[in-house]
Amino acid sequence: MLTKERSTLGRRWVLLFVGTVSWLATVAYGQAPPSAYLQIPTTEQLDWHQLEYYAFVHFGPNTFTNEEWGLSQSPPDVFAPTALDTDQWAKSFADAGMAGMILTAKHHDGMALWDINTTTYKIGNGKWALDRVANGLNADVVQLAAASAKKYNIKFGIYLSPWDIHRDPAMPKPNLTGTIYDEPQIFGDDSPGDYNVFYAQQLTELVTMKLSDGSPIEVSEVWLDGNSGSDTVQTFNWTDFRNIIREYQPDAIMWGHQGVDARWVGNEDGVTIPTNWHTISRTQDETQYSGDELELGVRDGTYWTPAEADARIRDGWFYHATETPKTADALMDMYMQSVGRSVNLLLDVPPDTTGQIVSGDADILLQFKSLRDTFFDREVLTPGLAANASSVRGGNDTLYGPANALDGNIDTYWAVNDNETTGSLEIELNGSYTVDAFITQEHIALGQRIGGYVIDAVVNGTYQTLITGTSLGYKRIDSLNASVETSRIRLSITQANATPLVNSFQVLGAQSSST
């Protein structure tokens, strides 16, 4: 049965805060805030939504064997970076505006990148690591990467593959026969031993890890990949895994095919469809949704389980010398179809055989950042502009007026009365502007409600519809194929399942030269 202790606690915190604000507002202004609508995010999920874009780091034996899944089952000596520099990883990501990185502590091949106690199949038993330790250097890649993330003030997450080829009896391992790495084949419901206990031990080691100075590692996200290339049937004890994470890393987001805290977007292209919902109605313990179902989500679903879009800067997840990175323009297009559609983007940027991010890849990340900065650094709407709304909740402009959508505060919003599910706000631009994009955010702390919106602009004296959208959610970035000149913009909520709440509305463009 699903256990959601942290999620429940987080929601209680949010509801307690909302209840306190509601009482204060009622006393001071005689008008209570809107009630939470169905499922709402935990405080940890709200923080996660705001990360938006961060790095995936696939690094391990596959980096050196030119593989993706480690089917060769090579001994640990194969792991031999010539100039490992996890600081270079973290600095590259921070400079590129990425909020964090998630490292493959153990991929499908089963070789651990940390100083593990549950298997001999770890990089620590290879020549590279033994030489480093003999020279007084740290050979624990997970610990090193976590320290680098902390140094450069980005988040650190861990990927721990549930499928383990090294322990799967259906997967041949001729290179390891008769060696210390020829370990019991415990993966599978019909295999001897208990793989769930083994996996739980590995997970516990990771989430209780400390840095070399003795301080605990803070894990922002744990990736429980459900992928497998084997016919071996293994029933995972997701409940125990969740409980371990909740106990030792209560602030961590747990990613899985369908949760608990975040779900797969349904593809590995870093994009999603225009309509998608932050909620679904199944947990990791239940029948899996298809990719198409995960892209869409379930409106008014049972669980707040937003999507995360994973993608690669190159063709493969691991480094391959023959591959080249995507262009900055291609990454920008990907970003607009993920972050621009209320879905976080997890972009894989793999280190090469030196143990560093390829300089060309890092350059592309910087070019991509420059594209984003140029695109977003054109805000037209500022606090103080004249904004009018079709209605304001209880007539209280201070708490619920349209100006709240322009103030840049994530805690304020424009709201209408409970008996209204549509409404509009208009902003006078104080001059003529050429505009080409819009950013709209729903106040999701109280749930996802909005299922239809329209953005109009006055063009040649009359309103012209520029954007027609469906689900709103955390953030929508809508772009026009061609810019228009206007002096007045209108955002209309055309459909909502409860009174709509708009946290933020922004227009991108430039003042017309004739103004």
Side-chain angles (χ1 to χ4, degrees):
M1 184 169 181
L2 175 65
T3 57
K4 294 173 73 70
E5 290 90 345
R6 202 288 305 282
S7 298
T8 301
L9 180 60
R11 288 185 175 86
R12 285 175 181 166
W13 248 105
V14 172
L15 290 172
L16 178 61
F17 174 76
V18 169
T20 302
V21 171
S22 175
W23 177 81
L24 290 172
T26 302
V27 170
Y29 298 100
Q31 176 67 47
S35 300
Y37 176 68
L38 300 180
Q39 308 309 318
I40 62 172
T42 63
T43 52
E44 294 80 12
Q45 287 173 315
L46 279 174
D47 291 341
W48 175 86
H49 275 287
Q50 295 173 50
L51 297 179
E52 297 186 0
Y53 167 55
Y54 36 94
F56 219 170
V57 182
H58 278 65
F59 188 53
N62 295 333
T63 307
F64 305 91
T65 60
N66 201 35
E67 295 178 277
E68 284 290 292
W69 279 11
L71 297 177
S72 68
Q73 286 293 282
S74 300
D77 280 348
V78 74
F79 183 87
T82 57
L84 178 70
D85 188 350
T86 57
D87 274 1
Q88 187 256 1
W89 303 358
K91 185 178 187 303
S92 296
F93 301 146
D95 289 348
M98 305 175 93
M101 63 174 169
I102 298 175
L103 173 65
T104 54
K106 183 193 79 172
H107 202 255
H108 303 324
D109 52 78
M111 191 182 296
L113 300 191
W114 75 100
D115 189 19
I116 192 171
N117 295 316
T118 54
T119 180
T120 57
Y121 200 54
K122 59 182 179 180
I123 64 169
N125 280 333
K127 184 178 185 303
W128 172 84
L130 294 172
D131 286 347
R132 278 183 67 94
V133 172
N135 288 313
L137 299 174
N138 191 351
D140 188 318
V141 174
V142 176
Q143 189 181 69
L144 289 168
S148 296
K150 183 177 181 179
K151 177 178 178 179
Y152 287 94
N153 196 32
I154 62 174
K155 301 290 186 180
F156 180 70
I158 290 169
Y159 169 113
L160 182 66
S161 174
W163 180 41
D164 191 325
I165 293 174
H166 184 63
R167 297 293 186 140
D168 187 340
M171 310 302 291
K173 306 165 187 68
N175 292 328
L176 305 179
T177 303
T179 71
I180 63 170
Y181 312 116
D182 189 359
E183 298 184 288
Q185 302 297 284
I186 60 174
F187 185 87
D189 293 343
D190 296 329
S191 300
D194 191 333
Y195 180 78
N196 280 313
V197 171
F198 171 79
Y199 185 87
Q201 291 171 337
Q202 292 192 330
L203 180 61
T204 301
E205 288 188 15
L206 285 170
V207 297
T208 59
M209 182 180 289
K210 289 180 168 50
L211 298 176
S212 57
D213 63 5
S215 62
I217 288 177
E218 294 182 11
V219 179
S220 64
E221 183 169 342
V222 180
W223 240 70
L224 305 177
D225 192 348
N227 204 357
S228 173
S230 171
D231 292 330
T232 303
V233 176
Q234 170 67 54
T235 303
F236 296 111
N237 190 339
W238 299 115
T239 299
D240 276 3
F241 305 160
R242 286 190 290 267
N243 289 342
I244 290 169
I245 298 168
R246 293 294 191 235
E247 179 177 357
Y248 297 108
Q249 295 287 343
D251 295 333
I253 291 295
M254 289 187 291
W255 182 97
H257 182 87
Q258 49 207 46
V260 169
D261 299 316
R263 72 179 193 265
W264 187 39
V265 77
N267 63 70
E268 295 181 339
D269 301 319
V271 301
T272 191
I273 56 178
T275 300
N276 68 84
W277 306 100
H278 293 320
T279 53
I280 57 176
S281 292
R282 295 178 194 166
T283 70
Q284 192 81 330
D285 306 284
E286 299 175 88
T287 302
Q288 288 193 345
Y289 285 118
S290 68
D292 289 344
E293 289 173 319
L294 288 169
E295 275 198 276
L296 178 63
V298 177
R299 187 173 194 182
D300 296 345
T302 309
Y303 306 105
W304 189 276
T305 315
E308 177 184 80
D310 55 320
R312 298 146 289 184
I313 195 170
R314 292 165 168 254
D315 291 339
W317 293 103
F318 287 89
Y319 170 78
H320 304 286
T322 57
E323 295 178 353
T324 56
K326 294 177 174 63
T327 65
D329 285 334
L331 294 179
M332 188 66 180
D333 185 57
M334 180 190 296
Y335 182 93
M336 295 297 286
Q337 294 184 72
S338 53
V339 177
R341 292 174 175 174
S342 295
V343 169
N344 283 13
L345 175 60
L346 175 62
L347 180 65
D348 181 57
V349 187
D352 64 11
T353 54
T354 69
Q356 297 184 30
I357 303 299
V358 180
S359 60
D361 293 9
D363 288 343
I364 290 293
L365 292 178
L366 291 177
Q367 293 171 31
F368 174 35
K369 181 180 185 298
S370 179
L371 286 180
R372 297 195 315 277
D373 290 345
T374 299
F375 179 78
F376 290 113
D377 192 21
R378 302 177 299 128
E379 295 185 351
V380 173
L381 305 185
T382 57
L385 282 178
N388 298 296
S390 57
S391 69
V392 173
R393 185 175 183 83
N396 192 318
D397 278 311
T398 300
L399 287 181
Y400 311 116
N404 290 347
L406 310 182
D407 65 7
N409 187 336
I410 63 171
D411 296 320
T412 63
Y413 50 90
W414 163 57
V416 297
N417 294 311
D418 283 336
N419 61 346
E420 299 173 86
T421 55
T422 61
S424 62
L425 62 85
E426 296 181 80
I427 302 104
E428 183 68 46
L429 303 184
N430 284 343
S432 182
Y433 283 77
T434 300
V435 304
D436 57 31
F438 310 88
I439 306 172
T440 315
Q441 294 188 257
E442 189 170 354
H443 186 67
I444 60 170
L446 293 176
Q448 188 175 17
R449 306 150 180 257
I450 298 171
Y453 66 98
V454 170
I455 300 173
D456 306 311
V458 171
V459 180
N460 297 323
T462 60
Y463 268 116
Q464 180 182 112
T465 296
L466 305 179
I467 299 293
T468 300
T470 53
S471 58
L472 194 53
Y474 166 70
K475 177 182 286 187
R476 284 284 167 160
I477 307 170
D478 292 301
S479 294
L480 303 178
N481 293 326
S483 61
V484 299
E485 188 168 338
T486 184
S487 60
R488 180 180 286 267
I489 300 287
R490 180 173 65 196
L491 169 67
S492 299
I493 306 303
T494 57
Q495 198 282 327
N497 282 1
T499 184
L501 311 177
V502 176
N503 165 247
S504 176
F505 183 56
Q506 186 54 261
V507 178
L508 302 181
Q511 192 161 26
S512 300
S513 57
S514 59
T515 302

